[in-house]
Amino acid sequence: MIKNIALSTLLLISTFVFAQNTAMSGAEAKAFVTKISSETKEIKTLQADFTQTKKMDFLDKSIVTYGKMSLKTPNILSWKYTKPYQYSIVFKDNKIFINDQGKKSSVDAKSKTFEKINKLIVGSSNGQMFNDPEFL
């Protein structure tokens, strides 16, 4: 079960990390990091609706899902899929809470893997990921 949660979380993260289509120049990347880091220092909460499209070679059609993401600093993150299915994952107080279409469960997130996943997600939202040598 922990492997499934970790895999699901990494798939969520990949949306943020790999969504860019063209490479930035060194100067563009530096300017981007500076701007994101300065503009996100004051953010205490963040909410967004999202549309996620996954294209897989072995499927004829893309998979399109819709959802909502909420972040409250320093470490509460909620990621909810609303269509075509109901699924949510919440990171809070070193625990992961999952609601898979009404089937609820929780997992202790004190492992190094979950700490890294949470740090990556929160860090990508507040710009701190750019300063962490582990994610460079």
Side-chain angles (χ1 to χ4, degrees):
M1 179 164 156
I2 291 176
K3 285 184 181 181
N4 289 340
I5 295 168
L7 179 60
S8 296
T9 305
L10 288 174
L11 288 173
L12 296 173
I13 295 168
S14 68
T15 303
F16 289 119
V17 177
F18 299 109
Q20 187 173 335
N21 291 326
T22 58
M24 289 186 211
S25 69
E28 289 173 325
K30 187 175 181 178
F32 175 76
V33 169
T34 301
K35 183 175 182 179
I36 294 296
S37 295
S38 68
E39 290 184 4
T40 58
K41 285 182 181 178
E42 300 301 317
I43 293 176
K44 301 295 180 211
T45 61
L46 177 68
Q47 295 179 355
D49 294 334
F50 66 85
T51 302
Q52 182 178 38
T53 304
K54 294 180 187 176
K55 296 179 183 182
M56 298 182 191
D57 291 339
F58 58 87
L59 295 176
D60 291 334
K61 292 184 176 181
S62 296
I63 299 170
V64 179
T65 54
Y66 303 90
K68 297 178 180 291
M69 186 274 303
S70 301
L71 173 72
K72 182 175 180 183
T73 59
N75 62 358
I76 299 174
L77 174 72
S78 171
W79 191 281
K80 297 178 183 181
Y81 288 98
T82 56
K83 276 173 54 176
Y85 51 86
Q86 302 289 315
Y87 182 89
S88 66
I89 184 166
V90 176
F91 292 81
K92 180 180 178 184
D93 299 329
N94 292 321
K95 285 214 169 265
I96 299 172
F97 301 93
I98 300 160
N99 185 341
D100 187 358
Q101 301 188 77
K103 183 180 175 188
K104 296 180 180 180
S105 59
S106 64
V107 176
D108 186 12
K110 289 184 180 178
S111 73
K112 292 215 183 264
T113 301
F114 287 121
E115 287 176 10
K116 286 181 183 180
I117 290 168
N118 191 41
K119 187 176 179 181
L120 176 61
I121 294 170
V122 173
S124 65
S125 300
N126 65 18
Q128 295 304 307
M129 177 177 98
F130 302 117
N131 300 323
D132 192 331
E134 188 170 7
F135 300 116
L136 294 178

